[in-house]
Structure formats: C-alpha cells, structure tokens
Amino acid sequence: MTIKAGIVGYGNLGKGVQKAIAQNPDFELVAVFTRRQPEQLASGDGVRFEHISAAEQYKGKIDVMILCGGSATDLPEQTPAIAKMFNTVDSFDTHAKIPEFFESVDAAAKQGGNLSVISTGWDPGLFSLNRLLAESILPQGTGYTFWGKGVSQGHSDAIRRVPGVKAGVQYTVPVEAAIERIRSGETPDFTTREKHLRVCYVVAEEGADQEEIRKAIVTMPNYFADYDTEVHFITEEQLKEEHQGMPHGGFVIRSGETGAGSKQIIEFGLKLDSNPEFTASVLVAYARAAYRLSKEGQSGAKTVFDIPYGLLSPKSPEELRRDLL
Ligand code: NDP
C-alpha cells in the first residue's frame, strides 16, 4: 500500500519533494497545492496542480501533506491551518520561534486528530538530532555547529539590497582552522568571526563605485559587521555560470571527556550539492513516520526528537535488525 502525499507550496523545496517522492516507491504524489494560479505551474509531467483553497476536498484522499512554504511568513499560517485537516510535515527553521510554533501546531493537529512533525530538514532536523545525541553521550564537553560552505538566502538578499548592486550571492564558509582545533581535542570559546567567513560575489550596476559597495556590505550590522567578509566583483555571465547552484552543508561536533581525561569526539557532517533537494528528502522520510504514527492513533505536534528512527525507513523492523543493526 502506498502513502498518498500532497505538496503545499511549489518553490525550491516543493520541487525537491516532487523529485524525492519519485525516488521512494512507497509514496504516491496525489497533488501539488499552490497560492498561485495552478494552471500556470502545470508542466505536462502528469502532476496535478490545485489551488490551495481546494485542499479540503482532498480530506481522506491524502495521508500526509508535505509543507514547503517559507518559514518567515508562510508556515506560521499554513502549518496550523493544514494540520486541522491532514497529517503534516514541515521544515520550519526559525529556531527562536520553534517553541511557539510547536504550541500552535499542536493545538491545531489535536483539534483535527492529526499528527504533525515540525522543523525537520537538516538544521533544524538532522543537526538537532546529532546535537542531542552527542550531548546525551558526552555530558562533560562542548558542542559546536558550523555551516557551509553554502549559499545563505538571507545574506544574499541583504547584499542585493545594497545601492549599486545588480545581483549577488553570499556563501557562508566555516573556518577550517577552527574545526581543526576542535578535532584535535581543544574546546575553545570562539567569537562569531573566528567560526565563519562570509564570501560575497557581486555584480555591480554600471558606473557604481565598487569600493562604496564593498564598504556598505562589510559594515552591515547583523549580517556582516561581526564577520570577516570578502567581496568579489564578477560579471553577470560569471554569476550565471558559476553561482546558480544551492550547495550547503556543515558540521556538528562535540568534544568531550570521559573517565580520567579520555578525549572523545563525535562529529556529523553534510556536504550538499543541493540544499532544497536534500531537505526535501528529509521531509519525505519524516512524512513516512508521520503517517505511521497517525495510523497508530497518535495526534498532535512532534519534533525530530520524538520520532523513532525506525519509522523513517520503508523497511520493516525485522529487515532493519537484519540489515542495519
Ligand atoms: P521558496 O522561496 O523557493 O518557496 C517558498 C514559497 O514561495 C513556495 O512554497 C511558493 O508558494 C512560493 N513561491 C516559490 N516560487 C515562487 C515564484 N516564482 N513566484 C511566486 N511565489 C513563489 O523557498 P524554498 O523552497 O527554497 O524554502 C522554503 C523554506 O524551507 C525556507 O523558508 C526555509 O525556512 C526552509 N528550509 C529549511 C531547512 C532546514 O534544514 N530545516 C533547509 C532549507 C530550507 P506557492 O506555490 O503557494 O506560491
């Protein structure tokens, strides 16, 4: 029996979920829901597009909705609204607002008798799981998270707002020397500047003063002022050819001690060619778990901390014990 899935929101992540579902034979994509005119999105590959207002008509026909809206304004509205009607999974990533988001989704999901897994993906998501695992195993130690090398959408948007900038992209790059210090068993207190470097590739408007642009970027409060920031000016062609991908990744590392000073290091890393395609693959695995927990009669909001790993796999517990233990 296949798990009938719907996608809500057809941006980078929504398109990634469509591809991920194609790689998981126990899933079937029933429809994609959008706030735009659905006929504008139809691509002729047999996928059904619907306006989001039609979602209610799919009650009973969709086992789990995979929510792919943006974290800033879409998901705080969409997840509770959809959780009243369907099981859901999302990748809400505004870390500071996760507790209040959880409460609002929990109430909505319980009202509808549905199960919602919130804030999956890789950070929050797989990185959170690894922070928890490492901290539980090495209570005496220090944990670190590094991001990159990867494109940060928020910082790329910020440089595009600088006067004289036509286009641009920003990469967050972990400082290799800092990671090496932790790997060698040190537990340093890093400043923001010591952990990550910000590298910007900028296309300037014709006649714009490049030095002015550089200064405006590197001194920008909250975004760049606390970091060492490189600004490279490139042509529009170079931007198109060399900076169209959405790579990302990073490391969660915990350095701790046990016994009389035995050094123990736990490290988890990701190196991603496509952030949205990878995040989408995580969403689909958690959609499987959401469906199964709901079948067991559970409802309300859950985070990755509440989901047993075995439920992520299409394999049976017997197969998992045989193949992967
Ligand atoms: P996008 O901006 O591509 O899409 C967000 C929404 O915008 C879509 O659902 C879509 O809604 C709408 N949209 C997309 N393209 C267009 C367009 N051309 N014109 C008009 N509207 C459009 O965001 P992403 O898919 O890249 O990311 C979604 C969220 O995923 C991010 O906000 C981020 O918070 C989260 N994320 C989480 C990660 C994690 O590890 N937890 C990792 C990566 C991302 P509609 O179809 O209804 O118009």
Side-chain angles (χ1 to χ4, degrees), residues 102-192:
F102 180 92
E103 293 302 330
S104 103
V105 177
D106 191 48
K110 281 184 178 147
Q111 190 185 324
N114 295 311
L115 190 124
S116 293
V117 191
I118 67 154
S119 299
T120 74
W122 58 278
D123 197 359
L126 305 189
F127 274 17
S128 324
L129 287 172
N130 282 277
R131 285 188 284 259
L132 181 151
L133 187 66
E135 192 179 288
S136 308
I137 292 167
L138 297 176
Q140 199 171 315
T142 311
Y144 301 88
T145 302
F146 290 86
W147 298 274
K149 180 187 176 181
V151 174
S152 156
Q153 294 302 342
H155 287 78
S156 298
D157 290 344
I159 57 175
R160 288 193 283 263
R161 287 194 295 266
V162 170
V165 172
K166 195 171 183 187
V169 62
Q170 192 267 186
Y171 294 89
T172 304
V173 183
V175 175
E176 198 57 38
I179 298 176
E180 283 313 317
R181 283 181 66 189
I182 303 165
R183 284 181 180 146
S184 72
E186 289 183 50
T187 52
D189 284 328
F190 291 119
T191 61
T192 304

Coordinates of all heavy atoms in Angstrom, one line a residue, residues 102-192:
F102 N 5.5 25.2 17.8 CA 5.1 23.9 18.2 C 3.7 24.0 18.9 O 2.8 23.2 18.6 CB 6.1 23.3 19.2 CG 5.7 22.0 19.8 CD1 6.2 20.8 19.1 CD2 4.9 21.9 20.9 CE1 5.9 19.6 19.6 CE2 4.6 20.6 21.4 CZ 5.1 19.5 20.7
E103 N 3.5 25.0 19.8 CA 2.2 25.1 20.6 C 1.1 25.3 19.6 O 0.0 24.7 19.8 CB 2.3 26.3 21.5 CG 3.3 26.1 22.7 CD 3.0 24.8 23.5 OE1 1.9 24.4 23.7 OE2 4.0 24.3 24.1
S104 N 1.3 26.2 18.6 CA 0.1 26.5 17.7 C -0.2 25.3 16.8 O -1.4 25.0 16.6 CB 0.4 27.8 17.0 OG 0.7 27.6 15.7
V105 N 0.8 24.6 16.4 CA 0.6 23.4 15.5 C 0.0 22.2 16.3 O -0.9 21.5 15.9 CB 1.9 22.9 14.8 CG1 1.6 21.7 14.0 CG2 2.4 24.0 13.9
D106 N 0.5 22.1 17.6 CA 0.0 21.0 18.5 C -1.5 21.2 18.7 O -2.3 20.2 18.6 CB 0.7 21.1 19.8 CG 0.5 19.9 20.7 OD1 0.6 18.7 20.1 OD2 0.2 20.0 21.8
A107 N -2.0 22.4 19.0 CA -3.4 22.6 19.2 C -4.2 22.3 18.0 O -5.2 21.6 18.0 CB -3.6 24.1 19.7
A108 N -3.7 22.8 16.8 CA -4.5 22.6 15.6 C -4.5 21.1 15.2 O -5.6 20.5 14.8 CB -3.8 23.3 14.4
A109 N -3.4 20.4 15.3 CA -3.3 19.0 14.9 C -4.2 18.1 15.9 O -4.9 17.2 15.4 CB -1.9 18.5 15.0
K110 N -4.2 18.5 17.2 CA -5.1 17.7 18.1 C -6.5 17.9 17.8 O -7.3 17.0 17.8 CB -4.7 18.1 19.5 CG -3.5 17.4 20.0 CD -3.2 17.7 21.5 CE -1.9 17.0 21.9 NZ -1.2 17.7 22.9
Q111 N -6.9 19.2 17.4 CA -8.2 19.5 17.1 C -8.7 18.6 15.9 O -9.8 18.2 15.9 CB -8.3 21.0 16.7 CG -9.7 21.5 16.5 CD -9.7 23.0 16.1 OE1 -8.8 23.8 16.4 NE2 -10.6 23.3 15.2
G112 N -7.8 18.4 14.9 CA -8.2 17.6 13.8 C -7.9 16.2 13.9 O -8.2 15.4 13.0
G113 N -7.3 15.8 15.0 CA -7.0 14.4 15.2 C -5.8 13.9 14.3 O -5.7 12.8 13.9
N114 N -5.0 14.9 13.9 CA -3.9 14.6 13.0 C -2.5 14.7 13.7 O -2.4 15.2 14.8 CB -3.9 15.6 11.8 CG -5.2 15.5 11.0 OD1 -5.5 14.3 10.6 ND2 -5.9 16.6 10.8
L115 N -1.5 14.2 13.0 CA -0.1 14.2 13.5 C 0.8 15.1 12.6 O 0.7 15.0 11.4 CB 0.4 12.8 13.6 CG 1.7 12.8 14.4 CD1 1.7 11.8 15.5 CD2 2.9 12.6 13.5
S116 N 1.5 16.0 13.3 CA 2.3 17.0 12.5 C 3.8 16.9 13.0 O 4.0 17.1 14.2 CB 1.8 18.4 12.8 OG 0.6 18.6 12.2
V117 N 4.7 16.6 12.1 CA 6.1 16.6 12.5 C 6.7 18.0 12.0 O 6.6 18.3 10.8 CB 6.9 15.5 11.9 CG1 8.3 15.5 12.6 CG2 6.3 14.2 12.1
I118 N 7.1 18.8 13.0 CA 7.6 20.2 12.6 C 9.1 20.2 12.6 O 9.8 19.4 13.2 CB 7.0 21.3 13.6 CG1 7.6 21.1 15.0 CG2 5.5 21.2 13.7 CD1 7.7 22.3 15.8
S119 N 9.6 21.2 11.9 CA 11.0 21.6 11.9 C 11.9 20.4 11.6 O 13.0 20.2 12.3 CB 11.4 22.2 13.3 OG 10.6 23.4 13.5
T120 N 11.6 19.6 10.6 CA 12.5 18.6 10.1 C 13.4 19.3 9.0 O 13.4 20.5 8.9 CB 11.8 17.4 9.4 OG1 11.3 17.9 8.1 CG2 10.6 16.9 10.2
G121 N 14.3 18.5 8.3 CA 15.3 19.1 7.4 C 16.6 18.8 8.0 O 16.8 17.8 8.6
W122 N 17.6 19.7 7.8 CA 18.9 19.4 8.4 C 19.3 20.3 9.5 O 20.0 19.9 10.4 CB 20.0 19.2 7.3 CG 20.2 20.4 6.4 CD1 19.5 20.8 5.3 CD2 21.2 21.4 6.5 NE1 20.0 21.9 4.8 CE2 21.1 22.3 5.5 CE3 22.3 21.6 7.4 CZ2 21.9 23.4 5.3 CZ3 23.1 22.7 7.2 CH2 22.9 23.6 6.2
D123 N 18.9 21.6 9.5 CA 19.1 22.4 10.7 C 18.1 23.5 10.7 O 18.2 24.5 10.1 CB 20.5 23.1 10.7 CG 20.8 23.6 12.1 OD1 20.0 23.4 13.0 OD2 22.0 24.1 12.3
P124 N 17.0 23.3 11.5 CA 16.8 22.2 12.4 C 16.5 20.9 11.7 O 16.1 20.9 10.5 CB 15.6 22.6 13.2 CG 14.8 23.5 12.3 CD 15.9 24.2 11.5
G125 N 16.7 19.8 12.4 CA 16.5 18.5 11.8 C 17.6 17.5 12.2 O 17.9 17.3 13.3
L126 N 18.3 17.1 11.1 CA 19.4 16.1 11.4 C 20.5 16.7 12.3 O 21.0 15.9 13.1 CB 20.0 15.6 10.0 CG 19.1 15.1 9.0 CD1 19.9 14.5 7.8 CD2 18.2 14.0 9.6
F127 N 20.8 18.0 12.2 CA 21.8 18.6 13.1 C 21.3 18.5 14.5 O 22.0 18.3 15.5 CB 22.1 20.0 12.7 CG 23.2 20.1 11.6 CD1 23.6 19.0 10.9 CD2 23.9 21.3 11.4 CE1 24.6 19.1 9.9 CE2 24.9 21.4 10.4 CZ 25.2 20.3 9.7
S128 N 20.0 18.8 14.7 CA 19.4 18.8 16.1 C 19.6 17.4 16.7 O 19.9 17.3 17.9 CB 17.9 19.2 16.0 OG 17.7 20.1 15.0
L129 N 19.3 16.4 15.9 CA 19.4 15.0 16.4 C 20.8 14.7 16.9 O 21.0 14.1 17.9 CB 19.0 14.0 15.3 CG 17.5 13.9 15.0 CD1 17.4 13.0 13.8 CD2 16.7 13.4 16.2
N130 N 21.8 15.2 16.1 CA 23.2 14.9 16.4 C 23.6 15.8 17.6 O 24.5 15.3 18.4 CB 24.0 15.1 15.2 CG 23.9 13.9 14.3 OD1 24.6 12.9 14.5 ND2 23.0 13.9 13.3
R131 N 23.1 17.0 17.7 CA 23.5 17.8 18.9 C 23.0 17.0 20.2 O 23.7 16.9 21.2 CB 22.8 19.2 18.9 CG 23.6 20.1 17.9 CD 23.1 21.5 18.0 NE 21.8 21.7 17.3 CZ 21.6 22.3 16.1 NH1 22.7 22.7 15.4 NH2 20.4 22.4 15.6
L132 N 21.7 16.5 20.1 CA 21.1 15.8 21.2 C 21.9 14.6 21.6 O 22.2 14.3 22.7 CB 19.6 15.5 20.9 CG 18.8 14.8 22.0 CD1 17.4 15.2 21.9 CD2 18.9 13.3 21.9
L133 N 22.2 13.8 20.5 CA 22.9 12.5 20.7 C 24.2 12.8 21.4 O 24.6 12.1 22.4 CB 23.1 11.9 19.4 CG 23.7 10.5 19.3 CD1 22.7 9.5 19.9 CD2 23.9 10.1 17.8
A134 N 25.0 13.7 20.9 CA 26.3 14.0 21.4 C 26.3 14.5 22.8 O 27.1 14.1 23.7 CB 27.1 15.0 20.5
E135 N 25.3 15.4 23.1 CA 25.2 16.0 24.4 C 24.8 14.9 25.5 O 25.3 15.0 26.6 CB 24.2 17.1 24.4 CG 24.3 18.0 25.6 CD 23.2 19.1 25.5 OE1 23.5 20.1 24.7 OE2 22.2 19.1 26.2
S136 N 24.0 14.0 25.0 CA 23.5 13.0 26.0 C 24.6 12.0 26.3 O 24.7 11.5 27.4 CB 22.3 12.2 25.4 OG 21.3 13.0 24.9
I137 N 25.5 11.7 25.3 CA 26.5 10.7 25.5 C 27.8 11.4 26.2 O 28.4 10.7 27.0 CB 26.9 10.1 24.1 CG1 25.7 9.3 23.6 CG2 28.1 9.3 24.2 CD1 25.8 8.9 22.2
L138 N 28.0 12.6 25.9 CA 29.2 13.3 26.5 C 28.7 14.5 27.3 O 28.9 15.7 26.8 CB 30.2 13.7 25.4 CG 30.8 12.6 24.5 CD1 31.7 13.2 23.4 CD2 31.7 11.7 25.4
P139 N 28.1 14.3 28.4 CA 27.6 15.5 29.2 C 28.7 16.4 29.6 O 28.5 17.6 29.7 CB 27.0 14.8 30.5 CG 27.5 13.4 30.5 CD 27.9 13.0 29.1
Q140 N 30.0 15.9 29.7 CA 31.1 16.8 30.0 C 31.8 17.1 28.7 O 32.6 16.3 28.2 CB 32.0 16.1 31.0 CG 32.9 17.1 31.7 CD 33.7 16.4 32.8 OE1 33.2 15.6 33.6 NE2 35.0 16.7 32.8
G141 N 31.4 18.2 28.1 CA 32.0 18.6 26.8 C 31.5 19.8 26.3 O 30.6 20.5 26.9
T142 N 31.9 20.2 25.1 CA 31.4 21.4 24.4 C 31.0 21.1 23.0 O 31.6 20.3 22.3 CB 32.6 22.4 24.3 OG1 33.2 22.5 25.6 CG2 32.1 23.8 23.9
G143 N 29.8 21.6 22.6 CA 29.3 21.3 21.3 C 29.4 22.5 20.4 O 29.4 23.7 20.8
Y144 N 29.6 22.2 19.1 CA 29.8 23.3 18.1 C 29.0 23.0 16.8 O 28.9 21.8 16.5 CB 31.3 23.4 17.6 CG 32.2 23.7 18.8 CD1 32.8 22.6 19.5 CD2 32.6 25.0 19.1 CE1 33.7 22.9 20.5 CE2 33.5 25.3 20.1 CZ 34.0 24.2 20.8 OH 34.9 24.5 21.8
T145 N 28.4 24.0 16.2 CA 27.8 23.8 14.9 C 28.5 24.8 13.9 O 28.6 26.0 14.2 CB 26.3 24.0 14.9 OG1 25.7 23.2 15.9 CG2 25.7 23.8 13.6
F146 N 28.9 24.2 12.8 CA 29.4 25.1 11.7 C 28.6 24.9 10.5 O 28.1 23.7 10.2 CB 30.9 24.6 11.3 CG 31.9 24.9 12.4 CD1 32.1 24.1 13.4 CD2 32.7 26.1 12.3 CE1 33.1 24.3 14.4 CE2 33.6 26.4 13.2 CZ 33.8 25.5 14.3
W147 N 28.3 25.9 9.7 CA 27.5 25.8 8.5 C 28.4 26.2 7.3 O 29.3 27.0 7.3 CB 26.4 26.8 8.5 CG 25.4 26.5 9.6 CD1 24.4 25.6 9.6 CD2 25.4 27.1 10.9 NE1 23.7 25.6 10.8 CE2 24.4 26.5 11.7 CE3 26.2 28.1 11.6 CZ2 24.1 26.9 13.0 CZ3 25.9 28.4 12.9 CH2 24.9 27.8 13.6
G148 N 28.1 25.5 6.2 CA 28.8 25.8 4.9 C 29.8 24.7 4.5 O 30.0 23.8 5.3
K149 N 30.4 25.0 3.4 CA 30.2 26.1 2.5 C 28.9 26.1 1.9 O 28.5 25.0 1.3 CB 31.3 26.1 1.5 CG 31.2 27.3 0.5 CD 32.2 27.2 -0.6 CE 32.0 28.3 -1.6 NZ 32.9 28.3 -2.7
G150 N 28.1 27.2 2.0 CA 26.8 27.2 1.4 C 26.2 28.5 1.2 O 26.7 29.5 1.8
V151 N 25.2 28.5 0.3 CA 24.6 29.8 0.0 C 23.6 30.1 1.1 O 22.8 29.3 1.5 CB 23.8 29.7 -1.3 CG1 23.0 30.9 -1.6 CG2 24.7 29.4 -2.5
S152 N 23.7 31.3 1.6 CA 22.7 31.8 2.6 C 21.7 32.7 1.9 O 22.1 33.8 1.4 CB 23.4 32.5 3.8 OG 22.5 33.3 4.4
Q153 N 20.4 32.3 1.9 CA 19.4 33.1 1.1 C 19.3 34.5 1.8 O 19.2 35.5 1.1 CB 18.1 32.5 1.1 CG 18.0 31.2 0.3 CD 18.4 31.3 -1.1 OE1 18.4 32.4 -1.7 NE2 18.8 30.2 -1.8
G154 N 19.2 34.5 3.1 CA 19.0 35.8 3.8 C 20.2 36.8 3.6 O 19.9 38.0 3.3
H155 N 21.4 36.3 3.6 CA 22.5 37.2 3.4 C 22.7 37.6 1.9 O 23.1 38.7 1.6 CB 23.8 36.5 3.9 CG 23.9 36.5 5.4 ND1 23.2 35.6 6.1 CD2 24.6 37.3 6.2 CE1 23.5 35.8 7.4 NE2 24.3 36.8 7.5
S156 N 22.3 36.7 1.0 CA 22.3 37.0 -0.4 C 21.2 38.1 -0.7 O 21.5 39.1 -1.4 CB 22.0 35.8 -1.3 OG 22.9 34.8 -1.1
D157 N 20.1 38.0 -0.1 CA 19.0 39.1 -0.2 C 19.6 40.4 0.3 O 19.3 41.4 -0.3 CB 17.8 38.7 0.6 CG 17.0 37.5 -0.1 OD1 17.3 37.2 -1.2 OD2 16.2 36.9 0.6
A158 N 20.3 40.3 1.4 CA 20.8 41.6 2.1 C 21.8 42.3 1.1 O 21.7 43.5 1.0 CB 21.5 41.2 3.4
I159 N 22.7 41.5 0.5 CA 23.6 42.2 -0.4 C 22.9 42.8 -1.7 O 23.3 43.8 -2.2 CB 24.9 41.4 -0.8 CG1 24.6 40.1 -1.5 CG2 25.8 41.2 0.3 CD1 25.8 39.3 -2.0
R160 N 21.9 42.1 -2.1 CA 21.1 42.6 -3.3 C 20.4 43.9 -3.0 O 20.0 44.6 -3.9 CB 20.2 41.5 -3.8 CG 20.9 40.4 -4.4 CD 19.9 39.5 -5.2 NE 19.2 38.6 -4.3 CZ 19.5 37.3 -4.1 NH1 20.6 36.8 -4.6 NH2 18.7 36.6 -3.3
R161 N 20.2 44.2 -1.7 CA 19.5 45.5 -1.3 C 20.5 46.7 -1.2 O 20.1 47.8 -1.1 CB 18.8 45.3 0.0 CG 17.5 44.4 -0.1 CD 16.6 44.6 1.1 NE 17.2 44.0 2.3 CZ 17.0 42.8 2.7 NH1 16.2 42.0 2.1 NH2 17.7 42.4 3.8
V162 N 21.8 46.4 -1.3 CA 22.8 47.5 -1.2 C 22.7 48.3 -2.5 O 22.7 47.8 -3.6 CB 24.2 46.9 -1.0 CG1 25.3 48.0 -1.2 CG2 24.3 46.2 0.3
P163 N 22.7 49.7 -2.4 CA 22.6 50.5 -3.6 C 23.8 50.3 -4.5 O 24.9 50.1 -4.0 CB 22.6 52.0 -3.0 CG 22.2 51.8 -1.6 CD 22.6 50.5 -1.2
G164 N 23.5 50.1 -5.8 CA 24.6 49.9 -6.8 C 24.8 48.4 -7.1 O 25.6 48.1 -8.0
V165 N 24.1 47.5 -6.3 CA 24.3 46.1 -6.6 C 23.2 45.6 -7.5 O 22.0 45.8 -7.2 CB 24.2 45.3 -5.2 CG1 24.2 43.8 -5.5 CG2 25.5 45.6 -4.4
K166 N 23.6 45.0 -8.6 CA 22.6 44.5 -9.5 C 22.2 43.0 -9.2 O 21.0 42.7 -9.2 CB 23.2 44.5 -10.9 CG 22.3 44.3 -12.0 CD 23.0 44.6 -13.4 CE 22.0 44.5 -14.5 NZ 22.8 44.6 -15.8
A167 N 23.1 42.2 -8.8 CA 22.8 40.9 -8.4 C 24.0 40.4 -7.5 O 25.1 41.0 -7.5 CB 22.8 40.0 -9.6
G168 N 23.7 39.3 -6.8 CA 24.8 38.8 -5.9 C 24.4 37.6 -5.1 O 23.2 37.2 -5.0
V169 N 25.4 36.9 -4.6 CA 25.2 35.7 -3.9 C 26.2 35.7 -2.7 O 27.3 36.1 -2.9 CB 25.3 34.4 -4.8 CG1 26.6 34.3 -5.4 CG2 24.9 33.2 -4.1
Q170 N 25.8 35.1 -1.6 CA 26.7 35.1 -0.4 C 26.9 33.7 0.1 O 25.9 32.9 0.2 CB 26.1 35.9 0.7 CG 27.0 36.2 1.8 CD 27.0 35.2 3.0 OE1 27.6 35.4 4.0 NE2 26.2 34.1 2.9
Y171 N 28.2 33.3 0.2 CA 28.5 31.9 0.8 C 28.9 32.1 2.2 O 29.8 32.9 2.5 CB 29.6 31.3 0.0 CG 29.2 31.0 -1.5 CD1 29.4 31.9 -2.5 CD2 28.6 29.7 -1.8 CE1 29.0 31.6 -3.8 CE2 28.2 29.4 -3.1 CZ 28.4 30.4 -4.1 OH 28.0 30.1 -5.4
T172 N 28.4 31.2 3.1 CA 28.9 31.1 4.4 C 30.0 30.0 4.4 O 29.7 28.9 3.9 CB 27.8 30.7 5.4 OG1 26.7 31.7 5.2 CG2 28.2 30.6 6.8
V173 N 31.2 30.3 4.9 CA 32.3 29.3 4.8 C 32.8 29.1 6.2 O 33.2 30.0 6.9 CB 33.4 29.9 3.9 CG1 34.5 28.9 3.8 CG2 32.9 30.3 2.6
P174 N 32.8 27.8 6.7 CA 33.4 27.6 8.0 C 34.9 27.8 8.0 O 35.5 27.5 7.0 CB 33.0 26.1 8.3 CG 32.8 25.5 6.9 CD 32.4 26.6 6.0
V175 N 35.4 28.3 9.1 CA 36.9 28.5 9.2 C 37.5 27.1 9.5 O 37.3 26.6 10.6 CB 37.2 29.6 10.2 CG1 38.7 29.7 10.4 CG2 36.6 30.9 9.8
E176 N 38.3 26.6 8.6 CA 38.9 25.3 8.7 C 39.8 25.2 9.9 O 39.7 24.1 10.6 CB 39.7 25.0 7.4 CG 40.0 23.5 7.2 CD 38.8 22.6 7.1 OE1 37.7 23.0 6.5 OE2 38.9 21.5 7.6
A177 N 40.5 26.2 10.2 CA 41.4 26.2 11.4 C 40.7 26.0 12.7 O 41.1 25.3 13.6 CB 42.3 27.5 11.4
A178 N 39.5 26.6 12.8 CA 38.7 26.4 14.0 C 38.2 25.0 14.1 O 38.3 24.4 15.2 CB 37.5 27.4 13.9
I179 N 37.8 24.4 13.0 CA 37.3 23.0 13.1 C 38.5 22.1 13.5 O 38.3 21.2 14.3 CB 36.7 22.6 11.7 CG1 35.5 23.4 11.4 CG2 36.3 21.1 11.7 CD1 34.9 23.2 10.0
E180 N 39.6 22.4 12.9 CA 40.8 21.5 13.2 C 41.2 21.6 14.7 O 41.6 20.6 15.3 CB 42.0 21.9 12.4 CG 41.9 21.4 10.9 CD 41.6 19.9 10.8 OE1 42.1 19.1 11.6 OE2 40.7 19.6 10.0
R181 N 41.0 22.7 15.3 CA 41.3 22.9 16.8 C 40.4 21.9 17.6 O 40.8 21.3 18.5 CB 41.1 24.3 17.2 CG 42.3 25.2 16.8 CD 42.1 26.6 17.3 NE 42.2 26.7 18.7 CZ 41.8 27.9 19.4 NH1 41.5 28.9 18.7 NH2 41.9 27.9 20.7
I182 N 39.1 21.9 17.2 CA 38.1 21.0 17.9 C 38.5 19.6 17.7 O 38.5 18.8 18.6 CB 36.7 21.3 17.5 CG1 36.4 22.8 17.7 CG2 35.7 20.5 18.2 CD1 35.1 23.3 16.9
R183 N 38.8 19.3 16.4 CA 39.1 17.9 16.1 C 40.3 17.4 16.8 O 40.5 16.2 17.1 CB 39.3 17.7 14.6 CG 38.0 17.7 13.8 CD 38.3 17.5 12.3 NE 37.1 17.6 11.5 CZ 37.0 18.1 10.3 NH1 38.0 18.6 9.7 NH2 35.8 18.0 9.7
S184 N 41.2 18.3 17.2 CA 42.4 17.9 17.9 C 42.2 17.8 19.4 O 43.1 17.6 20.1 CB 43.6 18.9 17.5 OG 43.3 20.1 18.2
G185 N 40.9 18.1 19.8 CA 40.6 17.9 21.2 C 40.5 19.1 22.0 O 40.2 19.1 23.2
E186 N 40.7 20.3 21.5 CA 40.6 21.6 22.2 C 39.1 21.9 22.3 O 38.3 21.4 21.5 CB 41.2 22.7 21.5 CG 42.7 22.7 21.5 CD 43.3 23.9 20.8 OE1 42.9 25.1 21.1 OE2 44.1 23.8 19.9
T187 N 38.7 22.7 23.3 CA 37.4 23.2 23.4 C 37.3 24.7 23.6 O 37.0 25.2 24.6 CB 36.7 22.5 24.7 OG1 37.5 22.7 25.8 CG2 36.4 21.0 24.5
P188 N 37.7 25.4 22.5 CA 37.9 26.8 22.6 C 36.5 27.6 22.6 O 35.5 27.0 22.1 CB 38.6 27.2 21.3 CG 38.7 26.0 20.5 CD 38.0 24.9 21.2
D189 N 36.5 28.8 23.2 CA 35.4 29.7 23.1 C 35.6 30.6 21.9 O 36.5 31.5 21.9 CB 35.3 30.6 24.3 CG 34.7 29.9 25.5 OD1 33.9 28.9 25.3 OD2 35.2 30.2 26.6
F190 N 34.9 30.4 20.8 CA 35.1 31.1 19.6 C 34.2 32.4 19.6 O 33.1 32.4 20.0 CB 34.7 30.3 18.3 CG 35.7 29.2 18.1 CD1 35.2 27.9 18.0 CD2 37.0 29.4 17.7 CE1 36.0 26.8 17.8 CE2 37.8 28.3 17.4 CZ 37.4 27.1 17.5
T191 N 34.8 33.4 18.9 CA 33.9 34.6 18.6 C 33.2 34.2 17.3 O 33.6 33.3 16.6 CB 34.7 35.9 18.4 OG1 35.6 35.7 17.3 CG2 35.5 36.2 19.7
T192 N 32.2 35.0 17.0 CA 31.5 34.8 15.7 C 32.5 34.8 14.5 O 32.4 34.0 13.6 CB 30.5 35.9 15.5 OG1 29.6 35.9 16.7 CG2 29.6 35.8 14.3

